Amino acid sequence: FPFRLTEGQKTIPIQNSWDLSFAEKWGPSKAINIKELKSWTDFEEESIRYYSGAASYSTTFNLDKKQIDGHTVYIDLGNLFEIAKIRVNGVDLGTAWYPPYFKNISDCIKPGDNKLEIEVVNLWPNRLIGDSKLPKDKRYTQTNVEKYEAGDSEKLLRKSGLIGPVNIICKPTVIRLFEGN
């Protein structure tokens, strides 16, 4: 497990702002810039609060040569809901679909600025809850599921998106040499 504390390990929080974009038909029509990571359900805008689907986060982080050389470098996405596809400097690192949400990024980072892209997909309930507040002809979804009613459904909203904190973890690479018998 890569997050066991080791001597010389460094944790570097990503504290830059993030560009966040949603599928245009289902969410805000333009990307937004956010200073902090939080659940989509904590936004005031209904197009984000009740959004269900994929949304893309992007930011940059900077590493210097000393942080990379002789280290195995990981990204730890912290908390997210539900599934994330991760790219660093255009390299697809695959999908993280259960906690802990981390990946080894040693092979795709470089000294200087590095681009991080995370596509997060949540579940459908938030859209159904949002739709329950709309007239039938204005709803985004058409379903026979009538689990959510307009009254007290707000308390049933599910956290969604990248919550974080997002950290870079640099662990010294240990090479052990064993002598034969």
Side-chain angles (χ1 to χ4, degrees):
F1 186 68
F3 296 107
R4 197 171 299 135
L5 289 176
T6 60
E7 188 175 327
Q9 176 176 311
K10 301 281 187 215
T11 299
I12 304 160
I14 295 180
Q15 297 176 322
N16 297 342
S17 64
W18 296 80
D19 289 326
L20 174 57
S21 59
F22 298 86
E24 198 171 309
K25 179 183 173 189
W26 297 86
S29 59
K30 295 183 180 182
I32 60 172
N33 185 273
I34 57 174
K35 304 281 186 238
E36 67 175 319
L37 296 171
K38 62 183 180 180
S39 174
W40 301 338
T41 58
D42 292 334
F43 282 84
E44 294 296 321
E45 300 91 338
E46 288 187 359
S47 61
I48 300 173
R49 183 176 179 78
Y50 302 120
Y51 182 82
S52 290
S56 298
Y57 294 80
S58 65
T59 192
T60 59
F61 61 94
N62 190 289
L63 294 173
D64 61 46
K65 193 167 173 46
K66 286 192 312 187
Q67 292 168 312
I68 297 171
D69 288 349
H71 291 82
T72 303
V73 183
Y74 299 91
I75 186 147
D76 176 6
L77 300 181
N79 203 2
L80 66 89
F81 296 92
E82 292 294 328
I83 298 171
K85 183 175 182 179
I86 306 161
R87 283 184 303 281
V88 175
N89 295 326
V91 176
D92 185 345
L93 297 172
T95 303
W97 56 280
Y98 60 90
Y101 299 103
F102 69 90
K103 293 283 184 178
N104 184 330
I105 61 172
S106 300
D107 292 338
C108 55
I109 55 168
K110 61 186 187 327
D113 286 336
N114 292 271
K115 183 171 184 171
L116 173 60
E117 300 167 283
I118 304 166
E119 182 178 64
V120 177
V121 178
N122 70 339
L123 299 175
W124 201 20
N126 293 351
R127 179 68 269 149
L128 295 176
I129 291 167
D131 278 359
S132 73
K133 300 169 184 302
L134 300 172
K136 287 193 181 218
D137 64 327
K138 301 286 185 197
R139 294 181 179 181
Y140 289 81
T141 58
Q142 302 298 317
T143 179
N144 62 349
V145 176
E146 302 225 3
K147 184 174 180 177
Y148 307 104
E149 295 180 20
D152 59 349
S153 60
E154 283 292 309
K155 67 182 177 191
L156 300 174
L157 285 173
R158 294 181 180 209
K159 288 186 179 196
S160 296
L162 181 61
I163 312 293
V166 178
N167 292 302
I168 303 298
I169 298 173
C170 303
K171 290 182 64 133
T173 303
V174 178
I175 300 173
R176 299 179 193 260
L177 300 175
F178 296 97
E179 294 184 16
N181 302 17

